[in-house]
Amino acid sequence: MYINGEYTTGKSTERIPIINPATEEILEEVPRGTPEDAVAAVEAAGAAFQIWKRMPANERAAALHEVATKIRAHHDEIVRLLTQEEGKPIPEHEEELWWVEETFDYYAELARHERGRVIPPGETGQFNFVIKEPYGVVACIVPWNYPLLLLAWKMAPALAAGNTIVIKPSELTPLATLKLVEVACDHLPPGVVNVVTGFGPEVGEPLVTHPDVPVIAFTGSLAVGQRIASLTAPMMKKLHLELGGKDPMVIAPDVAMDQAVSGLAYSALLNTGQVCTSTERVYVHESIMPQFSEELADFVGKLRLGNGLDDDTDIGPMIRDKFRVKVEEQLSEAVAAGAKTLIGGQRPPQISKGFFLTPAVVTNVDHSMRLMTEETFGPVIPLMPYKDFDEAIRLANDCKYGLGACLMTYDARLVKRFFEEVKAGTIWINDPLTDNFAGPFGGMKMSGLGRELGQEGLDEFYEVKHVHWDIEGGVKDFWYPY
Ligand code: NAD
């Protein structure tokens, strides 16, 4: 772990083995952090906040650019490590790390730009302005599916705004996080960045309930988000929650078949379907359903499963067996209720180790099945026909989540209806899962609170103060006595 600028194994003598999901081999062990370790990290971050918040914005910007530069210098090493602990293929980790590097540069600059605004006074002689101030210590709690990207989307804006941080990586994927901090954060004042490794109940909960942690920036499951919200409700903390999703894609009949087939395969199967914005429900116009489902099954059947380190791998393993079992259960329940598997959904017999599952295309599904209502987080593409666009929009909105939604069409009238009527934090037209540094990312409904990226993603880490200044002073005629 990394606390107050020093490496430590913390108070516990226990270790957590980190497993390569493609080979099931132990890569490394990390300390099983304790509540005392979490408290030590918060104290270090609290002390460092007094220094970091006073640093001029230009100096903080230079320090964050240096983080980006140092990560780039270790790019290949970190990509390899990420691939070993998380499993997705190298090109996907190249992309992830590029995002990380650019995010530090982006927020280094954005935070130099403004820190509030001057507002018109209510009366002559008054001066009114708004100051944005950092909160203090931010707990950054991150899942395993994009260990560094989701960290950077919190870490870069939180630091750029002048906060200090305690990072809790997933207990499944802490290695790249520790490597990033080791190679890229040594120039920061001690305590500005801290990392505690361990399990949610043992280090996550002491962090989120610590009275000196005013902000929790969390990405993970709905259940843990709800737990954090209930634990911290009495303390009135600022919660920034990026939770689960069940993203729909609507395929209109006018779209080119090859775009719809390969775009859908990408958005449903990227990272083996373990993306919060994976397409997990697909609504296909009934007129193209037979041809579309056949071409999709054919395309998906040609994708190559394997170790993410191998050049010819399209689809890596799932992160752990228990998540694979959850997907298999959703699939078999759906099949028992009448769904038809066109292809996939099996453990590949030719691969003896690793948590692999062949990508599945499923038809005859409906909204009575968990496969169409609960997050699946695996390589499954369920297809359901729709008759008209009213029905497509109704089905897209028939979900407790509202993270992303995609429409495949060239018809501008459908596009306008879709982005106006579908309740989701991101709407993609023809190009699913593409993010933009300046475009806010986050969820509506049960998918969370707050936004990452863009100005919105920086503002999450500022507290706003209004200053009302009567420059001349003097006794007001509306003061006592009436
Ligand atoms: P998870 O909720 O199990 O764990 C996320 C993190 O929270 C881990 O670091 C974990 O150790 C920690 N944690 C667990 N219990 C805790 C507790 N009681 N208190 C504090 N911290 C605790 O999620 P996961 O399995 O790592 O990730 C998959 C989930 O993340 C999926 O539901 C996915 O949709 C979601 N996700 C959301 C987004 C988004 O941007 N909305 C992005 C990626 C992943």
Side-chain angles (χ1 to χ4, degrees):
M1 298 189 281
Y2 185 67
I3 299 176
N4 205 21
E6 292 186 352
Y7 295 96
T8 170
T9 52
K11 297 283 180 209
S12 165
T13 51
E14 288 186 56
R15 299 281 176 273
I16 303 173
I18 306 304
I19 293 165
N20 181 335
T23 63
E24 301 181 39
E25 287 162 359
I26 295 177
L27 287 165
E28 185 75 79
E29 293 187 334
V30 298
R32 178 173 175 169
T34 63
E36 291 84 354
D37 299 321
V39 169
V42 172
E43 285 171 359
F49 177 60
Q50 299 309 322
I51 301 163
W52 186 248
K53 73 173 179 186
R54 294 194 171 87
M55 188 182 273
N58 290 352
E59 282 178 38
R60 269 206 304 270
L64 292 180
H65 283 307
E66 195 173 335
V67 171
T69 305
K70 286 176 166 170
I71 299 172
R72 287 190 185 100
H74 293 267
H75 181 95
D76 293 347
E77 182 190 355
I78 299 175
V79 163
R80 196 175 165 82
L81 188 56
L82 269 175
T83 307
Q84 287 173 309
E85 69 174 340
E86 202 277 340
K88 56 186 175 293
I90 289 266
E92 295 181 24
H93 283 121
E94 291 279 1
E95 174 82 358
E96 173 167 358
L97 201 60
W98 176 82
W99 265 92
V100 172
E101 294 152 0
E102 298 287 315
T103 300
F104 280 99
D105 281 335
Y106 174 74
Y107 278 114
E109 290 307 305
L110 197 66
R112 302 203 304 179
H113 185 61
E114 54 98 9
R115 279 296 281 277
R117 61 200 170 100
V118 176
I119 55 179
E123 285 177 27
T124 311
Q126 297 172 348
F127 184 38
N128 292 67
F129 52 98
V130 178
I131 324 175
K132 294 180 184 177
E133 295 180 334
Y135 281 88
V137 179
V138 177
C140 300
I141 303 184
V142 184
W144 48 264
N145 66 334
Y146 285 85
L148 295 189
L149 176 135
L150 295 167
L151 171 63
W153 288 6
K154 296 165 182 52
M155 178 176 175
L159 292 177
N163 303 278
T164 54
I165 64 172
V166 179
I167 302 165
K168 201 214 78 64
S170 166
E171 59 276 17
L172 305 182
T173 56
L175 300 180
T177 305
L178 289 164
K179 177 57 74 179
L180 180 147
V181 169
E182 178 196 330
V183 301
C185 294
D186 56 345
H187 59 288
L188 303 176
V192 168
V193 172
N194 306 273
V195 187
V196 285
T197 53
F199 295 104
E202 293 169 9
V203 285
E205 292 198 9
L207 264 184
V208 301
T209 52
H210 195 295
D212 296 334
V213 176
V215 185
I216 294 137
F218 169 83
T219 300
S221 59
L222 172 60
V224 174
Q226 287 169 324
R227 167 105 185 127
I228 291 173
S230 66
L231 282 174
T232 58
M235 308 170 88
M236 297 298 161
K237 292 183 184 238
K238 158 88 178 179
L239 294 188
H240 176 95
L241 303 176
E242 298 287 346
L243 309 176
K246 186 80 190 165
D247 285 10
M249 178 184 283
V250 172
I251 299 180
D254 68 302
V255 75
M257 196 60 78
D258 62 341
Q259 174 192 311
V261 166
S262 59
L264 169 57
Y266 171 78
S267 71
L269 303 178
L270 183 77
N271 196 9
T272 322
Q274 302 171 118
V275 183
C276 52
T277 48
S278 290
T279 297
E280 295 205 355
R281 301 178 284 142
V282 189
Y283 305 105
V284 184
H285 192 268
E286 59 180 9
S287 64
I288 58 167
M289 186 63 157
Q291 188 193 351
F292 182 78
S293 52
E294 196 179 309
E295 289 196 19
L296 181 72
D298 188 47
F299 186 93
V300 165
K302 293 189 180 122
L303 297 174
R304 300 156 302 174
L305 265 66
N307 189 321
L309 292 176
D310 296 338
D311 284 343
D312 56 0
T313 294
D314 298 311
I315 311 259
M318 296 192 65
I319 187 79
R320 288 292 180 272
D321 192 47
K322 67 172 179 174
F323 296 106
R324 178 169 62 172
V325 168
K326 180 184 146 193
V327 176
E328 290 169 331
E329 283 172 0
Q330 282 195 9
L331 259 178
S332 55
E333 265 178 45
V335 168
K340 188 173 163 211
T341 306
L342 299 187
I343 193 165
Q346 274 121 29
R347 301 182 180 205
Q350 74 279 17
I351 308 179
S352 58
K353 287 278 181 193
F355 312 119
F356 291 92
L357 190 66
T358 56
V361 177
V362 186
T363 56
N364 287 22
V365 294
D366 61 45
H367 284 204
S368 69
M369 300 169 179
R370 284 199 305 148
L371 190 65
M372 293 297 278
T373 56
E374 296 296 324
E375 192 174 52
T376 304
F377 229 59
V380 182
I381 315 181
L383 307 178
M384 188 171 166
Y386 69 89
K387 283 189 186 354
D388 56 35
F389 208 62
D390 284 342
E391 186 186 16
I393 287 185
R394 185 179 57 71
L395 289 168
N397 279 329
D398 181 26
C399 182
K400 67 183 170 191
Y401 293 111
L403 195 53
C406 181
L407 171 64
M408 293 283 197
T409 188
Y410 313 125
D411 184 337
R413 291 161 303 182
L414 300 186
V415 171
K416 180 168 183 293
R417 283 199 62 194
F418 194 77
F419 74 69
E420 285 180 352
E421 295 177 36
V422 172
K423 212 160 168 54
T426 305
I427 301 287
W428 287 287
I429 311 296
N430 295 330
D431 185 13
L433 306 197
T434 294
D435 297 317
N436 181 317
F437 293 99
F441 175 92
M444 295 182 176
K445 302 198 269 185
M446 301 287 263
S447 289
L449 300 172
R451 292 292 180 270
E452 299 191 309
L453 294 180
Q455 181 67 46
E456 292 85 351
L458 179 60
D459 286 340
E460 294 284 329
F461 297 102
Y462 285 128
E463 212 160 13
V464 169
K465 190 181 271 176
H466 169 209
V467 179
H468 169 82
W469 178 6
D470 188 301
I471 296 167
E472 295 298 330
V475 176
K476 305 291 176 193
D477 59 7
F478 54 86
W479 291 353
Y480 296 128
Y482 293 143

